[in-house]
Each structure stands twice: as C-alpha cells, then as structure tokens.
C-alpha cells in the first residue's frame, strides 16, 4: 500500500488495514501529519496540530495490536476536532482572540470517548468565532478555504472540520451544530455531516453558544464512518444533565437494511427561493430514493418561513447570556488598559470579541431587555413550539424528510461577510431541525451543473432518536452511487 | 425598523461592551435590519401557544439528575492556570471598593 493511500482510507478500511498489519497506526498518523504539512497551507483547516499527542496515541494502538487485544472500531483513526470542543492540554481558542492562549484542564466527553476507542486526535480545526457564522470567515485567525475551490468558503461554522475531511487532512472530524454548523459545511465541501437528536451526544466540554440548540456531531467521508463516530460519542453522560438517558443502538449494524417500504416526505416549503441547480440535484436524489423502494409523498411544514427569525432571536438571547462569562477574570484575554473593574470587563470584551460575536451579543441583549422580552424572546419561544409541532405531525406520516441542506452552493470568500442578515437567511433549511431538536444529516448529492461544479448536499431528517433509520436512508443513497454515478454527471 | 444611536449605546452598556464610534455606526443599521426582519413573527397568532424553552423529546426523561454525592473537582492550581492574573490561590481583579478620596467607578 503506497503511503498516499493511507489518507484516502475510511475509518472502516483503517480498521481492516490495521488488523491485516498492512500499515501501523503510527504510519497512518504520520502520513496524515505529512499531508497536513503539505496541503494545509492552502486549505488552512487547522489552528493547532497536536502531533506529539497524536503519535503517542497511535503508538498505544500499535502496542495493543502487538499484544493481540481486541481492536475498537475507531482505533488508529485520525480525527480533527473543532476548536470549540475542549481537549485537555491542547490549546482551544474557539476561533477567538478571547481564548488565544486557553489550555483546557479537561476534555469534552465526546473527545474522551473517541480517545477511549483509540481514535487519534490530530489537532484542532478552524471555525467561526464561538461557532457564530456560516462561512468560517468569522475566525479571529484566518479564513479556511474550500478544498473543492480554494476561492470559496467551506461553510460554517464547522468549516475547518468539513475542509479537513474533504481534503483528506483527517479521516473524520467532530464539529458542533447549533443552527446548521455541521450540515451546511458538509454540504459545501461534499462530505457527510450529522447532528443527532438534541441530547443524543453529551455537550460536556463543548464551549456553550446557545445551550438549547448546541450539539456535537461527526463528519466523515462515508455514512458508515459517521455511524461509527456517532455510536462512540452518543449516550448519557452524568456530566451533562441535558444528555438523554436513551439507549444507543449499534447504528452500523442496521446500516445495510435498505429502505424498502420507507415513506419519505418532501416539504415544498424547502424548495422556494432555491438555487435551481441545487433543486435539480435534490429532485434527482429523491427520485433515486424512490427507485430504491421508498414511497415518496409531500408533507407540509408550514412554519418554515418563520424559522430564521425565530432561530436568531433564541440563539442570540442564549449567546448573550452564555458569553457573559468572558470578563477577563477566570480565563482568557484581559485588556491591559483599564481603570476599575467595570472598565476592565468592557474593554476586555470589546477587544477580545470579533464583530459577529458582538453583533449577536447586542441582539441577544436587546431581545431580552426590559420592554422587549415579550415581543421578541417569548414570542420566538412560542413560534419554536409551532415549528416543532410541524415536524411531529409530519412524522406521523413519514419515516424521513428529505430537503436541500442549503439554498445555494459554497459562495466566494468575502462575498457575504458585510451583510449579516443575508448570511443568516442562508441557514433557512438547517435551523428548523435545530429548533425542533430532531436529527439531521447532510449527504453529498452530486455537483452543480455549471462550472465550477460545486458540491450539493441533500439533507435527511428523522424523528427524535431515530438516527438509525436516518443513517439507513443515507447509506442506501450512498450505496446506490449517490448522484456521482448518475446519468447526469 | 428605527434603532437610535442611544439605543445601541444602551444595549452595549447592558452587554458590557465598550464599543468604539465606528462600531456603533456599523452595528446600528445592521441591527436595525435584523430586528426589522424578525418582526415577521408578529404575523403569527400565538395567544394559545406554550413557549418552548428546551427540547424534551418523546421518550427522553427531562433533565435527569445524577446522585448528589461529592466528587473530586479541579485542584486549585489547575483551576487558576488560565487566569490572566492570579495569586495566593485567588483570581486577582482590580479593587472594587474605592479608597477614600479617590474617584473611580
């Protein structure tokens, strides 16, 4: 096996290669580190590469193989971790100057669980500051480039995770999704990205943005890899009271069961104002699911058009409260120039936060402030009930819902950064599931017809805790060749 | 929607942000546009609708608690290791109580 092949393997293939002793975990790790050194100056996915720690973990895996012990599914699999997820001893910046030198004293439960399964954490990947954004341009350090077209954004906020997986700078990755931050960059970069049910994965050690919406979830190049990562990180965690006490099924075991007899719902609300080339691909994706044995029917999600407004009130309100902790006292940046405590807070926060974070803190503070709370925050919480109810009613009739992930393909770097409202409106198809708390995945669904032929993502929703069925639909689509082998490509 | 400079300043004050004049000028129209957009929620009649503060999925227990037993926590020096200023086992902050005869906040 040539060394460049090692970065093209899926987690499943790495497992086989290790068992057959065709390569060691250390070799696989070194090949990824080498590729990061060669390719990442162009892509700029990584903020911090933790080479030593990665090699140490890889050697442990090799030792385990030498001892003949059982090899966990993720042993030796190189993983990139979004920089809003804590890694003990490895700098975690949240893409913010506020936490430029922050070295966490503990790891997120999701990271601990991956490492316990033998996964090799290669480093920390770029994101919009505190996960606020849809392009990774709000990173305080540098923007990440889309590996498919380096002049374009990778999406966001988990743009570094998506780009790293797409560019083979990691086999898989962890991201976080609050309103689409895993699914949208997965669509933009042509990889798989999944958000489980709210509560499916512990958020202990995920730096909080909007707590009623935040999720940790996996990226991969195959559905099976996503299923393996989700299985590893899911399940009740006493350290997170919002993690659900619901059994975690073996997602990989039912992956190949097919979709014969499944009913798939298509909501017309998700096809309005859509880039027509994306619409074409999604329609072909739906046709494919039908050919695979799904019954396709239309469903109504009538409150969809209110979702962006509802989401941006709730997430900014929660952000303004969560980010109050950055005051220059316990961790992070402190302004050098101040008179008295209050001025220290204010100057620290003004200098430590970037424009989008300040904008959201301001919005959130406004909608929670006396005289506005009822009209904005309370109202948005009521509308959230209506959006969640739409889904519950739809899932009475269907097993899964299929939509586009984003209304447009990856846009150019710098193209939208000066118009925050325009940026927010691009989240229309992803914020709905976040508000309802249902799981969603974005799977590659061909490329746009016209040059530069950008990746299109098809989104699949399932009802609460029905990730197994969602992954089955995704796998059936992938196995059929997606649209890559379709007649139009 | 109209959003005055005064209102922007009031919100910045509440949020403990010391915005510079250029930021105020930039944020004012952007925040106004976003607030204008979210007015659309007013078109929905929600008088009989319960607010949803948290996702409680069917079948999931709502916020189950762990047993209330003492567990080890971070050692003091580890808890302080990321502090911008620490000493004698404490986070150090500027003095809060003013000395007689000095002015300040």
């Amino acid at each position: 096996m040539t060394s460049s092949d090692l970065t093209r393997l899926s987690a499943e293939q790495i497992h086989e290669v290790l068992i057959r002793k065709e390569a060691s975990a250390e070799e696989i790790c070194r090949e990824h580190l080498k590729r990061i050194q060669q390719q990442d100056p162009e892509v700029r996915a990584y903020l911090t590469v933790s080479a030593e720690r990665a090699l140490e973990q890889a050697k442990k895996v090799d030792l385990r193989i030498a001892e003949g012990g059982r090899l966990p599914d993720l042993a030796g699999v190189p993983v990139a971790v979004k920089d809003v997820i804590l890694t003990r001893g490895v700098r975690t910046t949240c893409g913010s100057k506020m936490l430029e030198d922050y070295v966490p004293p503990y790891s997120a439960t999701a990271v601990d669980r991956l490492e316990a399964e033998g996964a090799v954490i290669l480093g920390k990947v770029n994101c919009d500051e505190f996960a606020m954004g849809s392009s990774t341009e709000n990173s305080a350090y540098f923007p990440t480039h889309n590996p498919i077209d380096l002049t374009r954004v990778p999406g966001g906020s988990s743009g570094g995770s998506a780009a790293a997986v797409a560019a083979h700078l990691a086999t898989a990755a962890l991201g976080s999704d609050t309103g689409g931050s895993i699914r949208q960059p997965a669509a933009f970069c042509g990889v798989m990205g999944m958000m489980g049910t709210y509560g499916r994965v512990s958020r202990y050690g995920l730096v909080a943005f909007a707590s009623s919406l935040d999720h940790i979830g996996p990226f991969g190049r195959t559905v099976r890899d996503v299923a393996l990562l989700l299985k590893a990180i899911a399940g009740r965690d006493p350290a997170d009271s919002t993690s659900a006490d619901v059994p975690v099924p073996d997602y990989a075991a039912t992956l190949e069961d097919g979709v014969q007899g499944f009913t798939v719902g298509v909501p017309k609300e998700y096809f309005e104002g859509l880039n027509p080339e994306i619409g074409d691909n999604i329609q072909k994706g739906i046709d494919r699911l039908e050919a695979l044995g799904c019954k396709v029917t239309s469903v109504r999600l009538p409150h969809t058009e209110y979702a962006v407004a509802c989401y941006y009130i709730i997430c900014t309100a929660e952000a303004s409260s969560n980010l109050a902790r950055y005051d220059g006292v316990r961790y992070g940046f402190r302004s050098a120039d101040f008179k008295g405590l209050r001025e220290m807070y204010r100057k620290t926060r003004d200098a430590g936060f970037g424009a989008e974070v300040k904008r959201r803190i301001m919005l959130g503070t406004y909608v929670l402030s006396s005289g506005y709370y009822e009209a904005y925050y309370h109202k948005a919480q009521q509308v959230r009930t209506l959006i969640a109810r739409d889904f519950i009613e739809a899932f009475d009739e269907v097993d899964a819902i299929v939509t586009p992930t984003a209304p447009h393909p990856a846009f150019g770097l710098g193209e939208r950064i000066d118009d925050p409202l325009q940026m927010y409106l691009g989240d229309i198809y992803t914020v709905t599931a976040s508000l309802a708390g249902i799981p969603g995945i974005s799977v590659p669904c061909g490329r746009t017809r016209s040059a530069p032929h950008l990746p299109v993502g098809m989104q699949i929703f399932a009802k609460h805790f029905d990730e197994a069925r969602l992954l089955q639909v995704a796998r059936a689509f992938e196995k059929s060749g997606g649209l890559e082998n379709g007649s139009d490509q | 929607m109209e959003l005055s400079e005064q209102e922007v300043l009031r919100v910045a004050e509440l949020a403990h942000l010391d915005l510079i004049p250029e930021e105020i000028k930039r944020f004012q129209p952007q925040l106004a546009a976003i607030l204008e957009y979210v007015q659309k929620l007013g078109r929905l009649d929600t008088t009989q609708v319960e607010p949803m503060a948290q996702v409680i999925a069917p079948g999931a227990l709502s916020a189950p608690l762990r047993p209330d037993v003492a567990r080890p926590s971070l050692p003091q020096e580890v808890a302080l290791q990321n502090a911008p200023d620490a000493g004698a086992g404490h986070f150090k902050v500027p003095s809060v109580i003013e000395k007689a005869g000095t002015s300040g906040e």
Side-chain angles (χ1 to χ4, degrees):
Chain A
M1 176 161 294
T2 69
S3 57
S4 71
D5 290 340
L6 296 177
T7 58
R8 309 207 78 81
L9 300 175
S10 66
E12 188 190 9
Q13 291 166 328
I14 285 175
H15 189 71
E16 289 160 12
V17 162
L18 290 176
I19 284 179
R20 290 199 300 261
K21 297 193 167 61
E22 289 168 4
S24 68
E26 187 183 337
E27 284 171 306
I28 292 169
C29 180
R30 284 194 192 280
E31 277 313 309
H32 280 85
L33 293 170
K34 196 169 101 191
R35 189 170 167 88
I36 291 169
Q37 219 169 35
Q38 289 166 347
Q39 306 284 326
D40 204 43
E42 283 197 327
V43 177
R44 309 218 74 184
Y46 282 84
L47 285 169
T48 306
V49 177
S50 49
E52 259 177 58
R53 180 196 172 105
L55 285 166
E56 206 177 293
Q57 170 83 344
K59 284 174 190 167
K60 268 194 235 167
V61 171
D62 286 332
L63 202 66
R64 200 156 170 175
I65 296 168
E67 287 167 352
R70 191 196 74 90
L71 207 57
D73 287 330
L74 296 176
V77 174
V79 175
V81 175
K82 184 181 184 180
D83 214 21
V84 292
I85 300 171
L86 302 188
T87 40
R88 185 176 44 250
V90 178
R91 185 177 82 127
T92 301
T93 69
C94 295
S96 179
K97 288 287 176 197
M98 190 63 98
L99 294 174
E100 188 161 14
D101 302 311
Y102 180 70
V103 178
Y106 64 97
S107 286
T109 299
V111 169
D112 275 341
R113 286 181 176 174
L114 283 185
E115 289 194 315
E117 288 289 304
V120 174
I121 311 284
L122 294 174
K124 306 302 292 291
V125 278
N126 203 13
C127 56
D128 287 300
E129 185 176 7
F130 289 104
M132 297 181 191
S134 311
S135 67
T136 313
E137 294 167 291
N138 294 328
S139 165
Y141 299 96
F142 43 78
T144 295
H145 298 247
N146 191 318
I148 309 298
D149 175 348
L150 292 170
T151 68
R152 289 170 191 269
V153 302
S157 66
S158 312
S161 306
V165 172
H168 298 260
L169 305 173
T171 308
L174 288 183
S176 71
D177 193 315
T178 303
S181 281
I182 289 177
R183 293 161 285 154
Q184 183 256 27
F188 280 17
C189 293
V191 297
M192 313 270 173
M194 178 166 180
M195 168 186 82
T197 306
Y198 182 80
R200 179 79 290 183
V201 178
S202 165
R203 287 101 49 86
Y204 183 67
L206 169 65
V207 175
F209 154 22
S211 302
S212 81
L213 298 156
D214 289 341
H215 303 66
I216 291 178
F219 285 87
R221 292 188 295 263
T222 70
V223 176
R224 181 167 293 267
D225 283 6
V226 167
L228 292 173
L229 258 78
L230 183 67
K231 169 90 166 86
I233 62 176
R236 172 80 185 142
D237 172 16
D240 174 6
S241 69
T242 62
S243 70
D245 197 2
V246 175
V248 181
D250 185 355
Y251 301 118
T254 50
L255 222 44
E256 307 294 339
D257 287 0
V259 290
Q260 195 68 43
F262 279 19
T263 305
V264 167
V266 179
K268 72 163 170 31
E269 293 86 354
Y270 284 64
F271 292 81
E272 289 158 8
L274 177 66
N275 172 314
E277 293 192 25
I278 292 195
D280 287 350
N281 281 30
I282 302 305
Q283 188 52 52
K284 282 175 188 145
I286 293 164
D287 294 346
R288 176 67 57 81
L289 288 174
E290 195 165 22
L292 290 167
C294 288
K295 180 172 174 261
V296 175
T297 180
S298 66
V299 287
R300 288 199 61 224
L301 297 168
H303 295 97
T304 302
E305 68 159 304
Y306 299 98
V308 169
C310 176
Y311 172 80
Y312 276 97
I313 291 173
I314 290 172
C315 83
T316 59
E318 293 185 15
S320 74
S321 166
N322 271 327
L323 273 67
R325 73 190 68 188
Y326 302 102
D327 56 6
V329 175
R330 286 156 302 161
Y331 34 67
F333 170 78
R334 178 187 286 189
S335 168
D337 157 42
F338 57 84
K339 295 192 299 286
L341 186 66
R342 283 172 67 82
E343 199 178 283
M344 183 191 86
Y345 293 153
R346 297 175 47 156
K347 289 209 186 283
T348 293
R349 290 163 63 76
D350 192 56
F353 290 139
E356 180 61 18
V357 171
K358 284 188 229 180
R359 207 153 33 224
R360 293 201 192 188
I361 290 174
M362 297 276 288
L363 265 174
T365 304
Y366 181 88
V367 301
L368 288 175
S369 66
S370 169
Y372 297 100
Y373 176 89
E374 290 289 328
Y376 290 97
Y377 187 62
H378 187 77
K379 182 81 183 183
Q381 287 188 313
Q382 290 175 311
V383 174
R384 186 174 183 180
T385 300
L386 298 175
I387 291 166
R389 231 183 249 167
D390 282 356
F391 280 107
I392 289 168
E393 283 165 20
F395 281 118
D396 279 343
E397 294 162 33
V398 299
D399 300 298
I401 292 173
V402 174
T403 78
T405 305
H408 43 65
F411 44 88
L413 283 153
E415 215 171 83
R416 289 175 181 235
I417 198 69
D418 293 325
D419 189 347
L421 179 59
Q422 203 55 36
M423 193 75 98
Y424 297 173
L425 292 173
D427 299 342
I428 176 68
Y429 303 143
T430 47
V431 292
T432 48
S434 311
L435 290 164
I438 58 167
I441 190 171
S442 180
V443 299
C445 189
R447 302 274 185 112
T448 54
R449 193 171 43 244
S450 49
H453 309 297
L454 298 165
V456 173
M458 179 169 81
Q459 184 172 232
I460 309 167
F461 299 141
K463 64 182 179 214
H464 295 104
F465 296 106
D466 204 9
E467 287 88 357
R469 203 163 346 189
L470 184 157
L471 286 161
Q472 256 172 272
V473 177
R475 172 61 188 146
F477 182 68
E478 174 189 54
K479 198 176 177 179
S480 77
L483 291 194
E484 307 302 337
N485 301 330
S487 53
D488 57 316
Q489 296 289 320
Chain B
M1 209 188 99
E2 288 298 310
L3 186 72
S4 69
E5 192 182 315
Q6 253 52 49
E7 273 182 296
V8 175
L9 282 168
R10 182 186 68 92
V11 174
E13 173 80 33
L14 288 171
H16 282 293
L17 288 169
D18 189 31
L19 299 185
I20 55 173
E22 294 86 83
E23 286 179 307
I24 295 164
K25 222 173 129 188
R26 188 147 68 107
F27 285 159
Q28 196 179 337
Q30 290 176 339
L31 295 175
I34 296 162
L35 289 169
E36 170 75 33
Y37 174 76
V38 303
Q39 301 295 325
K40 72 192 294 182
L41 297 191
R43 298 208 297 259
L44 287 170
D45 179 3
T46 52
T47 40
Q48 299 298 318
V49 181
E50 282 293 308
M52 178 176 168
Q54 190 72 273
V55 177
I56 305 294
L61 249 108
S62 109
L65 302 174
R66 63 175 166 78
D68 184 18
V69 289
R71 325 173 279 171
S73 58
L74 290 180
Q76 192 181 48
E77 62 275 18
V78 176
L80 290 169
Q81 79 189 6
N82 279 291
D85 195 6
H90 295 272
F91 297 108
K92 283 169 82 173
V93 294
S95 62
V96 181
I97 300 163
E98 292 162 29
K99 288 181 193 129
T102 62
S103 67
E105 282 191 84

PDB file of all heavy atoms in Angstrom, chain A residues 18 69 80 100 106 112 140 157 164 224 240 338 369 372 432:
ATOM      1  N   LEU A  18      -5.246  -2.233   9.720  1.00  0.00           N
ATOM      2  CA  LEU A  18      -4.522  -2.468  10.975  1.00  0.00           C
ATOM      3  C   LEU A  18      -4.570  -3.948  11.364  1.00  0.00           C
ATOM      4  O   LEU A  18      -3.561  -4.516  11.768  1.00  0.00           O
ATOM      5  CB  LEU A  18      -5.105  -1.611  12.104  1.00  0.00           C
ATOM      6  CG  LEU A  18      -4.860  -0.104  12.009  1.00  0.00           C
ATOM      7  CD1 LEU A  18      -5.578   0.629  13.134  1.00  0.00           C
ATOM      8  CD2 LEU A  18      -3.373   0.232  12.037  1.00  0.00           C
ATOM      9  N   GLY A  69      -4.743  -7.708  21.381  1.00  0.00           N
ATOM     10  CA  GLY A  69      -6.025  -7.375  22.005  1.00  0.00           C
ATOM     11  C   GLY A  69      -7.086  -7.037  20.964  1.00  0.00           C
ATOM     12  O   GLY A  69      -6.767  -6.815  19.785  1.00  0.00           O
ATOM     13  N   ALA A  80      -9.978  15.104  13.385  1.00  0.00           N
ATOM     14  CA  ALA A  80      -9.787  16.529  13.668  1.00  0.00           C
ATOM     15  C   ALA A  80     -10.938  16.993  14.550  1.00  0.00           C
ATOM     16  O   ALA A  80     -12.071  16.531  14.394  1.00  0.00           O
ATOM     17  CB  ALA A  80      -9.777  17.322  12.358  1.00  0.00           C
ATOM     18  N   GLU A 100      -7.136  32.956  23.057  1.00  0.00           N
ATOM     19  CA  GLU A 100      -5.949  32.665  22.242  1.00  0.00           C
ATOM     20  C   GLU A 100      -4.977  31.702  22.939  1.00  0.00           C
ATOM     21  O   GLU A 100      -4.380  30.848  22.296  1.00  0.00           O
ATOM     22  CB  GLU A 100      -5.231  33.972  21.894  1.00  0.00           C
ATOM     23  CG  GLU A 100      -4.107  33.763  20.903  1.00  0.00           C
ATOM     24  CD  GLU A 100      -3.680  35.047  20.207  1.00  0.00           C
ATOM     25  OE1 GLU A 100      -4.076  36.138  20.693  1.00  0.00           O
ATOM     26  OE2 GLU A 100      -2.974  34.949  19.204  1.00  0.00           O
ATOM     27  N   TYR A 106      -9.448  19.968  31.094  1.00  0.00           N
ATOM     28  CA  TYR A 106     -10.177  18.710  30.901  1.00  0.00           C
ATOM     29  C   TYR A 106     -10.648  18.621  29.455  1.00  0.00           C
ATOM     30  O   TYR A 106     -10.645  19.619  28.737  1.00  0.00           O
ATOM     31  CB  TYR A 106     -11.368  18.599  31.865  1.00  0.00           C
ATOM     32  CG  TYR A 106     -12.440  19.647  31.663  1.00  0.00           C
ATOM     33  CD1 TYR A 106     -13.568  19.364  30.908  1.00  0.00           C
ATOM     34  CD2 TYR A 106     -12.326  20.922  32.225  1.00  0.00           C
ATOM     35  CE1 TYR A 106     -14.553  20.316  30.714  1.00  0.00           C
ATOM     36  CE2 TYR A 106     -13.311  21.880  32.036  1.00  0.00           C
ATOM     37  CZ  TYR A 106     -14.423  21.575  31.288  1.00  0.00           C
ATOM     38  OH  TYR A 106     -15.392  22.518  31.084  1.00  0.00           O
ATOM     39  N   ASP A 112     -13.079  12.440  25.017  1.00  0.00           N
ATOM     40  CA  ASP A 112     -12.670  11.318  25.876  1.00  0.00           C
ATOM     41  C   ASP A 112     -13.167   9.993  25.310  1.00  0.00           C
ATOM     42  O   ASP A 112     -12.441   8.997  25.303  1.00  0.00           O
ATOM     43  CB  ASP A 112     -13.244  11.498  27.286  1.00  0.00           C
ATOM     44  CG  ASP A 112     -12.351  12.382  28.160  1.00  0.00           C
ATOM     45  OD1 ASP A 112     -11.159  12.548  27.819  1.00  0.00           O
ATOM     46  OD2 ASP A 112     -12.846  12.906  29.180  1.00  0.00           O
ATOM     47  N   ALA A 140     -11.097  34.506  14.263  1.00  0.00           N
ATOM     48  CA  ALA A 140     -10.211  35.636  14.552  1.00  0.00           C
ATOM     49  C   ALA A 140      -8.824  35.415  13.962  1.00  0.00           C
ATOM     50  O   ALA A 140      -8.002  36.335  13.967  1.00  0.00           O
ATOM     51  CB  ALA A 140     -10.106  35.837  16.060  1.00  0.00           C
ATOM     52  N   SER A 157     -20.507  26.939  10.856  1.00  0.00           N
ATOM     53  CA  SER A 157     -19.276  27.381  11.485  1.00  0.00           C
ATOM     54  C   SER A 157     -18.190  26.308  11.560  1.00  0.00           C
ATOM     55  O   SER A 157     -17.022  26.637  11.749  1.00  0.00           O
ATOM     56  CB  SER A 157     -19.564  27.898  12.893  1.00  0.00           C
ATOM     57  OG  SER A 157     -20.016  26.844  13.726  1.00  0.00           O
ATOM     58  N   ALA A 164     -11.155  19.749   6.460  1.00  0.00           N
ATOM     59  CA  ALA A 164     -10.122  18.761   6.809  1.00  0.00           C
ATOM     60  C   ALA A 164     -10.514  17.380   6.287  1.00  0.00           C
ATOM     61  O   ALA A 164      -9.687  16.664   5.728  1.00  0.00           O
ATOM     62  CB  ALA A 164      -9.922  18.717   8.327  1.00  0.00           C
ATOM     63  N   ARG A 224     -20.956   5.021   6.943  1.00  0.00           N
ATOM     64  CA  ARG A 224     -20.537   4.093   7.994  1.00  0.00           C
ATOM     65  C   ARG A 224     -19.618   4.791   8.999  1.00  0.00           C
ATOM     66  O   ARG A 224     -19.732   4.585  10.205  1.00  0.00           O
ATOM     67  CB  ARG A 224     -19.859   2.851   7.403  1.00  0.00           C
ATOM     68  CG  ARG A 224     -19.424   1.833   8.467  1.00  0.00           C
ATOM     69  CD  ARG A 224     -19.043   0.492   7.848  1.00  0.00           C
ATOM     70  NE  ARG A 224     -20.194  -0.164   7.277  1.00  0.00           N
ATOM     71  CZ  ARG A 224     -20.966  -1.052   7.937  1.00  0.00           C
ATOM     72  NH1 ARG A 224     -20.677  -1.378   9.178  1.00  0.00           N
ATOM     73  NH2 ARG A 224     -21.995  -1.591   7.362  1.00  0.00           N
ATOM     74  N   ASP A 240     -23.458  15.977  31.904  1.00  0.00           N
ATOM     75  CA  ASP A 240     -24.340  16.869  31.136  1.00  0.00           C
ATOM     76  C   ASP A 240     -25.786  16.468  31.408  1.00  0.00           C
ATOM     77  O   ASP A 240     -26.260  15.447  30.899  1.00  0.00           O
ATOM     78  CB  ASP A 240     -24.025  16.775  29.641  1.00  0.00           C
ATOM     79  CG  ASP A 240     -25.007  17.581  28.776  1.00  0.00           C
ATOM     80  OD1 ASP A 240     -25.860  18.306  29.348  1.00  0.00           O
ATOM     81  OD2 ASP A 240     -24.925  17.485  27.539  1.00  0.00           O
ATOM     82  N   PHE A 338      -7.147  49.762  31.670  1.00  0.00           N
ATOM     83  CA  PHE A 338      -8.454  49.985  32.298  1.00  0.00           C
ATOM     84  C   PHE A 338      -8.295  50.688  33.638  1.00  0.00           C
ATOM     85  O   PHE A 338      -7.230  50.641  34.266  1.00  0.00           O
ATOM     86  CB  PHE A 338      -9.191  48.658  32.509  1.00  0.00           C
ATOM     87  CG  PHE A 338      -8.419  47.663  33.328  1.00  0.00           C
ATOM     88  CD1 PHE A 338      -8.445  47.699  34.726  1.00  0.00           C
ATOM     89  CD2 PHE A 338      -7.658  46.674  32.706  1.00  0.00           C
ATOM     90  CE1 PHE A 338      -7.735  46.783  35.474  1.00  0.00           C
ATOM     91  CE2 PHE A 338      -6.939  45.761  33.465  1.00  0.00           C
ATOM     92  CZ  PHE A 338      -6.972  45.816  34.848  1.00  0.00           C
ATOM     93  N   SER A 369     -34.042  42.417  26.825  1.00  0.00           N
ATOM     94  CA  SER A 369     -34.082  43.577  27.717  1.00  0.00           C
ATOM     95  C   SER A 369     -35.514  43.964  28.049  1.00  0.00           C
ATOM     96  O   SER A 369     -36.462  43.633  27.327  1.00  0.00           O
ATOM     97  CB  SER A 369     -33.313  44.748  27.100  1.00  0.00           C
ATOM     98  OG  SER A 369     -33.969  45.195  25.942  1.00  0.00           O
ATOM     99  N   TYR A 372     -38.803  44.547  25.821  1.00  0.00           N
ATOM    100  CA  TYR A 372     -38.736  43.859  24.525  1.00  0.00           C
ATOM    101  C   TYR A 372     -38.867  42.350  24.658  1.00  0.00           C
ATOM    102  O   TYR A 372     -39.110  41.647  23.694  1.00  0.00           O
ATOM    103  CB  TYR A 372     -37.423  44.196  23.810  1.00  0.00           C
ATOM    104  CG  TYR A 372     -37.307  45.661  23.478  1.00  0.00           C
ATOM    105  CD1 TYR A 372     -36.543  46.512  24.276  1.00  0.00           C
ATOM    106  CD2 TYR A 372     -37.990  46.201  22.386  1.00  0.00           C
ATOM    107  CE1 TYR A 372     -36.450  47.859  23.990  1.00  0.00           C
ATOM    108  CE2 TYR A 372     -37.899  47.556  22.103  1.00  0.00           C
ATOM    109  CZ  TYR A 372     -37.128  48.382  22.907  1.00  0.00           C
ATOM    110  OH  TYR A 372     -37.044  49.702  22.619  1.00  0.00           O
ATOM    111  N   THR A 432     -34.396  24.787  11.205  1.00  0.00           N
ATOM    112  CA  THR A 432     -35.678  24.187  11.592  1.00  0.00           C
ATOM    113  C   THR A 432     -35.474  22.952  12.472  1.00  0.00           C
ATOM    114  O   THR A 432     -36.084  22.838  13.540  1.00  0.00           O
ATOM    115  CB  THR A 432     -36.459  23.797  10.327  1.00  0.00           C
ATOM    116  OG1 THR A 432     -35.573  23.081   9.450  1.00  0.00           O
ATOM    117  CG2 THR A 432     -36.989  25.019   9.613  1.00  0.00           C
TER     118      THR A 432
END
